[in-house]
C-alpha cells in the first residue's frame, strides 16, 4: 500500500479576531512571567496611556546612602523603585520601518524607560528590526524586544501558555497532546493483543470476524434488509502486520495477466475466499461455479494464469475492542471497528495481481481487456484419442505418476495433431492396467533457450526438456510445448 503523504498541522493563530483592547490583554498576560515584576499596570485600558498600553516595574532593590542626625551614614532600601518597562501592543497586519519610527517617537529620550517591548500581529522585515534597534539605542533604552506574529505564536504554543491559547482563541494544544497520547496508547494495546491473538510477523493465516461497533442485532442477519450488500459483520483472513494495522485477505478471483503487454482481466463469478460458516449447500454452489470458471481459466497459457487479490488494512487506531475468544457462531477472534461509508472497517486497500507465485502491483499502465465471458457454461471435451498415446521414457513416466510434470516437449511434429481441450492417454509403466489421461490446455512453439530462461524454475524446465527429448537441445532449436492437466478416467466417463 502506497504511503499517503499527509502532513498534520495547526492553522495560523488569528490575532485579527481580537479587538485592540483584547490584544493588549493578551500581551499583558504573556509578560507576567517574563521578568520578576514588582507591578504591572494596564495603562492602555484607561484611554489616556500616553502612547503605552502596559507599564511595568521590574523588581529591583535600589539602595541609597544618607547621613542621620548624628552624621552617621545609613542605607535606605527602596523596593518600589525598580526598572521601568514600557510595553506597546499593535494589532495591525503590516508595520514597516516608517511606522516603527512613528511608534517609538512616543519615547522621551530625556527620560527613557529601562526596557521596551513592541508586540504586534504583523511579520517584521530585517529592515524593521534594524530600525527598531537603532532608534531605541539612540533614545538610551537599555533592553528592548520586538515581538512579531511568529514570536507570539511560538510563545503561545509553549505548554506554560496553553491556558492563554485556550482563553483567547479556544485552542488547547495540551488537550490535543493528551488526546493523541490516549489514541497512541489504544493503538499500541490493540497491536500487542493482536500479536498474541492472530499471530506475529508477516506469515500467518487466521480467520477473524470484523464487527461494526454500531451494530446491535448480531448475529441476526435478517434484521437488515441490505445485509448482503452492506454487512454489519463479516469474516476475513488476517495474514500480516503493517506498522499501522492488520492486513486482511478480502477477495481473491481468477485472473488473466499478461505482464509483457500490461493487460489483465478477472471475473467475479466466484470468490476464492470463502467463509468457514458457509453451509454444505453454499459450498456446493460455489464449487459448481468454480468448475465452470476453471473450464475457461485452465485453458489460458500457463504464463497468463493468475489471481486478482484485494487485501485491506484495519488500522490499530480504529480498533475499539478485541474479543480473542469469539462465540459459538464464529469460533475465532472478533474485532470491533466503526464501519464508515463504502470502505466499512478498512482504512485502505491494495489491489494485487498474482502471477506465477509473484505479486504484481496493479498500476495505472495496466489495461483491462475482455478475456473472461459474461456467462460461463459447461465446455465440452475436444477430441478423445483412444488409439494414440503419449510415449514417455521411464524417468518421465515416474515423475508423471508423482504429478511432477505438467508439460510435454517434442522437437518433431509427432504430437502436432493435438489441440487445446483434446484428451489423450499417457503410456503406463510396464504392465500396469491403470489408464492415465491428460487434457491439453495450451500448445505453442518456442525457442528452447528463451523458453527455459523465461520459465519460473529454469533448472527444472531444462532438465524436463532434456529428459523427454533424450538429449541436450541447441540454443537456437525450436521446441513444441504442450501444457496439460491430468484428468481421471472417472471424469472422462462422466462426460
Amino acid at each position: 500500500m502506497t504511503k499517503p503523504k499527509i502532513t498534520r498541522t495547526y492553522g495560523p493563530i488569528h490575532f485579527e479576531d481580537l479587538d485592540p483592547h483584547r490584544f493588549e490583554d493578551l500581551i499583558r498576560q504573556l509578560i507576567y512571567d517574563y521578568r520578576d515584576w514588582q507591578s504591572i499596570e494596564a495603562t492602555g485600558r484607561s484611554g489616556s496611556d500616553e502612547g503605552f498600553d502596559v507599564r511595568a516595574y521590574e523588581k529591583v532593590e535600589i539602595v541609597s546612602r544618607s547621613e542621620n542626625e548624628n552624621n552617621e551614614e545609613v542605607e535606605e532600601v527602596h523596593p518600589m523603585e525598580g526598572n521601568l518597562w514600557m510595553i506597546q501592543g499593535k494589532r495591525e497586519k503590516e508595520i514597516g520601518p516608517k511606522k516603527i519610527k512613528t511608534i517609538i517617537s512616543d519615547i522621551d529620550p530625556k527620560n527613557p524607560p529601562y526596557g521596551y517591548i513592541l508586540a504586534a500581529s504583523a511579520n517584521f522585515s530585517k529592515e524593521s528590526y534594524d530600525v527598531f534597534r537603532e532608534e531605541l539605542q539612540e533614545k538610551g533604552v537599555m533592553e528592548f524586544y520586538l515581538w512579531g506574529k511568529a514570536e507570539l505564536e511560538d510563545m503561545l504554543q509553549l505548554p506554560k501558555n496553553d491556558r492563554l491559547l485556550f482563553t483567547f482563541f479556544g485552542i488547547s494544544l495540551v488537550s490535543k497532546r493528551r488526546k493523541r497520547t490516549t489514541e497512541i496508547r489504544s493503538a499500541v494495546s490493540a497491536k500487542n493483543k493482536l500479536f498474541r491473538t492472530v499471530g506475529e510477523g508477516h506469515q500467518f493465516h487466521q480467520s477473524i470476524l470484523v464487527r461494526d461497533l454500531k451494530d446491535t442485532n448480531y448475529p441476526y442477519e435478517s434484521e437488515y434488509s441490505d445485509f448482503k450488500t452492506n454487512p454489519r459483520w463479516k469474516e476475513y483472513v488476517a495474514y500480516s502486520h503493517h506498522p499501522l494495522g492488520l492486513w486482511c485477505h478480502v477477495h481473491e478471483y481468477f485472473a488473466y495477466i499478461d505482464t509483457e503487454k500490461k493487460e489483465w482481466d478477472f471475473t467475479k463469478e466466484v470468490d476464492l475466499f470463502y467463509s468457514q460458516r458457509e453451509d454444505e449447500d453454499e459450498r456446493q454452489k460455489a464449487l459448481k461455479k468454480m468448475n465452470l470458471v476453471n473450464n475457461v481459466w485452465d485453458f489460458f497459457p500457463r504464463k497468463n494464469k493468475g489471481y486478482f487479490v484485494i487485501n485491506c488494512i484495519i488500522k490499530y487506531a480504529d480498533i475499539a475492542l478485541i474479543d480473542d475468544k469469539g462465540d459459538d457462531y464464529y469460533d475465532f477472534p472478533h474485532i470491533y471497528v466503526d464501519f464508515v461509508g463504502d470502505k466499512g472497517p478498512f482504512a485502505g486497500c491494495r489491489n494485487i495481481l498474482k502471477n506465477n507465485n509473484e505479486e504484481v502491483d496493479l498500476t495505472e499502465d495496466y489495461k483491462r481487456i475482455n478475456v473472461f465471458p459474461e456467462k460461463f457454461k459447461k465446455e465440452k471435451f475436444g477430441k478423445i484419442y483412444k488409439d494414440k498415446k503419449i510415449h514417455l521414457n521411464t524417468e518421465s513416466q515416474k515423475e508423471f505418476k508423482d504429478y511432477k510434470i505438467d508439460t510435454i516437449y517434442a522437437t518433431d511434429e509427432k504430437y502436432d495433431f493435438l489441440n487445446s481441450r483434446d484428451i489423450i492417454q499417457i503410456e503406463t509403466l510396464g504392465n500396469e492396467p491403470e489408464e492415465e489421461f491428460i487434457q491439453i490446455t495450451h500448445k505453442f512453439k518456442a525457442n528452447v533457450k528463451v523458453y527455459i530462461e523465461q520459465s519460473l524454475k529454469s533448472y527444472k524446465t531444462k532438465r524436463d526438456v532434456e529428459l523427454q527429448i533424450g538429449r541436450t537441445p541447441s540454443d537456437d532449436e525450436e521446441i513444441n510445448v504442450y501444457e496439460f492437466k491430468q484428468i481421471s478416467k472417472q471424469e472422462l466417463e462422466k462426460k
Side-chain angles (χ1 to χ4, degrees):
M1 182 180 70
T2 304
K3 182 181 177 181
K5 296 181 180 179
I6 299 173
T7 302
R8 183 175 181 176
T9 62
Y10 298 104
I13 297 175
H14 296 280
F15 294 102
E16 66 273 11
D17 292 343
L18 303 177
D19 65 42
H21 284 305
R22 195 62 176 150
F23 183 74
E24 294 169 12
D25 292 340
L26 172 62
I27 303 305
R28 190 178 69 256
Q29 292 283 338
L30 281 172
I31 70 167
Y32 269 118
D33 63 351
Y34 189 66
R35 292 295 172 95
D36 186 11
W37 304 110
Q38 180 67 50
S39 65
I40 296 177
E41 302 167 357
T43 56
R45 280 288 185 176
S46 66
S48 57
D49 56 3
E50 298 182 353
F52 296 102
D53 300 318
V54 180
R55 184 172 64 180
Y57 288 91
E58 191 175 358
K59 188 181 290 185
V60 177
E61 289 188 349
I62 298 177
V63 179
S64 63
R65 300 179 183 274
S66 63
E67 293 183 355
N68 59 15
E69 296 176 352
N70 299 321
N71 294 322
E72 295 175 341
E73 189 178 83
V74 295
E75 293 184 351
E76 294 181 355
V77 178
H78 303 277
M80 298 301 291
E81 295 183 8
N83 293 330
L84 172 63
W85 284 71
M86 306 304 291
I87 297 94
Q88 184 72 44
K90 293 291 183 182
R91 195 216 60 182
E92 299 182 20
K93 290 185 178 180
E94 294 183 7
I95 298 179
K98 291 183 179 179
K99 181 70 172 178
I100 286 181
K101 285 185 177 182
T102 303
I103 296 172
I104 295 176
S105 65
D106 291 333
I107 299 175
D108 184 1
K110 295 180 181 180
N111 187 28
Y114 170 82
Y116 178 80
I117 297 175
L118 173 58
S121 58
N123 292 312
F124 295 111
S125 65
K126 178 182 178 297
E127 185 180 358
S128 296
Y129 280 102
D130 292 341
V131 168
F132 180 77
R133 176 182 294 273
E134 292 169 2
E135 291 290 319
L136 288 174
Q137 283 178 337
E138 288 182 7
K139 290 178 178 290
V141 179
M142 300 301 293
E143 289 190 50
F144 42 84
Y145 301 95
L146 183 59
W147 294 348
K149 183 177 181 181
E151 288 84 358
L152 293 176
E153 286 189 346
D154 289 344
M155 292 179 190
L156 287 171
Q157 290 183 21
L158 293 173
K160 67 176 183 177
N161 291 326
D162 193 69
R163 59 180 182 82
L164 299 181
L165 189 61
F166 183 77
T167 300
F168 286 88
F169 302 98
I171 301 170
S172 175
L173 299 183
V174 171
S175 297
K176 289 181 182 293
R177 281 191 287 269
R178 288 173 181 167
K179 181 181 178 184
R180 180 60 181 150
T181 300
T182 301
E183 291 173 351
I184 294 173
R185 185 180 292 113
S186 176
V188 171
S189 176
K191 173 186 71 71
N192 291 340
K193 189 166 185 178
L194 286 171
F195 269 47
R196 296 190 299 268
T197 303
V198 303
E200 299 184 19
H202 301 280
Q203 294 182 351
F204 53 86
H205 188 278
Q206 173 63 55
S207 291
I208 58 172
L209 185 70
V210 184
R211 297 175 57 175
D212 190 350
L213 195 62
K214 299 183 292 293
D215 167 62
T216 57
N217 294 313
Y218 174 85
Y220 304 108
E221 297 180 7
S222 58
E223 294 295 320
Y224 299 101
S225 59
D226 62 341
F227 189 86
K228 285 188 176 182
T229 58
N230 185 25
R232 275 65 171 186
W233 56 88
K234 192 171 181 180
E235 178 186 344
Y236 299 102
V237 170
Y239 72 91
S240 179
H241 287 283
H242 181 276
L244 295 178
L246 184 68
W247 277 112
C248 300
H249 290 306
V250 178
H251 299 290
E252 184 171 348
Y253 304 105
F254 287 110
Y256 170 91
I257 306 164
D258 189 330
T259 55
E260 295 176 0
K261 295 182 179 179
K262 303 286 186 180
E263 295 176 341
W264 77 293
D265 191 24
F266 83 104
T267 176
K268 283 188 174 181
E269 185 70 12
V270 59
D271 192 340
L272 298 175
F273 170 77
Y274 64 90
S275 168
Q276 290 188 17
R277 286 205 71 250
E278 286 181 354
D279 58 31
E280 187 60 28
D281 185 52
E282 290 175 328
R283 291 179 186 273
Q284 289 301 319
K285 287 180 181 179
L287 184 60
K288 287 182 180 179
K289 287 184 177 182
M290 188 179 298
N291 288 336
L292 291 175
V293 176
N294 271 325
N295 278 328
V296 175
W297 186 78
D298 277 346
F299 297 92
F300 290 158
R302 194 168 289 142
K303 68 176 183 178
N304 299 127
K305 293 169 70 175
Y307 302 92
F308 175 49
V309 181
I310 301 176
N311 294 329
C312 300
I313 189 171
I314 301 175
K315 292 180 68 175
Y316 299 130
D318 293 339
I319 297 174
L321 184 67
I322 300 171
D323 173 8
D324 57 349
K325 300 298 183 184
D327 55 33
D328 290 341
Y329 275 71
Y330 294 91
D331 188 19
F332 39 78
H334 293 199
I335 296 178
Y336 292 81
V337 183
D338 192 9
F339 286 29
V340 180
D342 296 335
K343 288 186 178 180
F346 303 113
C349 295
R350 181 187 178 197
N351 296 336
I352 302 169
L353 296 175
K354 282 189 176 180
N355 178 242
N356 292 327
N357 295 327
E358 292 185 357
E359 290 188 356
V360 180
D361 281 321
L362 188 55
T363 54
E364 293 181 356
D365 55 343
Y366 267 82
K367 178 183 178 183
R368 186 173 176 183
I369 59 175
N370 292 322
V371 176
F372 288 95
E374 292 185 6
K375 292 184 178 181
F376 292 86
K377 59 183 180 179
K378 193 173 183 180
E379 295 287 344
K380 296 180 179 180
F381 285 152
K383 189 171 182 179
I384 302 174
Y385 291 94
K386 296 182 179 180
D387 55 341
K388 295 182 179 181
K389 294 182 180 180
I390 296 290
H391 300 281
L392 297 175
N393 56 42
T394 302
E395 188 68 22
S396 296
Q397 286 185 23
K398 288 179 179 179
E399 295 208 348
F400 174 82
K401 293 285 290 184
D402 294 334
Y403 292 89
K404 292 182 178 179
I405 63 172
D406 53 14
T407 309
I408 301 296
Y409 302 106
T411 53
D412 54 23
E413 309 299 325
K414 61 183 176 182
Y415 300 131
D416 197 45
F417 61 89
L418 290 171
N419 294 303
S420 179
R421 297 189 181 274
D422 288 352
I423 295 174
I424 191 169
Q425 188 176 347
I426 293 288
E427 187 177 35
T428 56
L429 288 170
N431 297 320
E432 290 185 11
E434 185 179 356
E435 294 178 320
E436 302 281 0
F437 295 90
I438 63 170
Q439 184 176 27
I440 304 301
T441 57
H442 181 60
K443 79 170 188 175
F444 59 98
K445 293 180 182 290
N447 174 271
V448 173
K449 184 175 184 296
V450 174
Y451 175 75
I452 292 174
E453 288 178 348
Q454 293 181 348
S455 63
L456 188 61
K457 298 179 179 179
S458 57
Y459 175 80
K460 183 180 184 306
T461 301
K462 183 176 184 296
R463 177 180 175 277
D464 289 345
V465 170
E466 292 175 351
L467 197 61
Q468 289 190 36
I469 68 174
R471 60 182 175 84
T472 301
S474 60
D475 289 346
D476 60 350
E477 195 169 352
E478 194 174 62
I479 191 171
N480 293 304
V481 183
Y482 303 87
E483 296 175 351
F484 69 83
K485 66 175 182 176
Q486 295 194 31
I487 187 167
S488 67
K489 188 176 180 180
Q490 290 75 16
E491 289 180 272
L492 195 58
E493 290 173 349
K494 287 180 182 180
K495 298 289 183 176

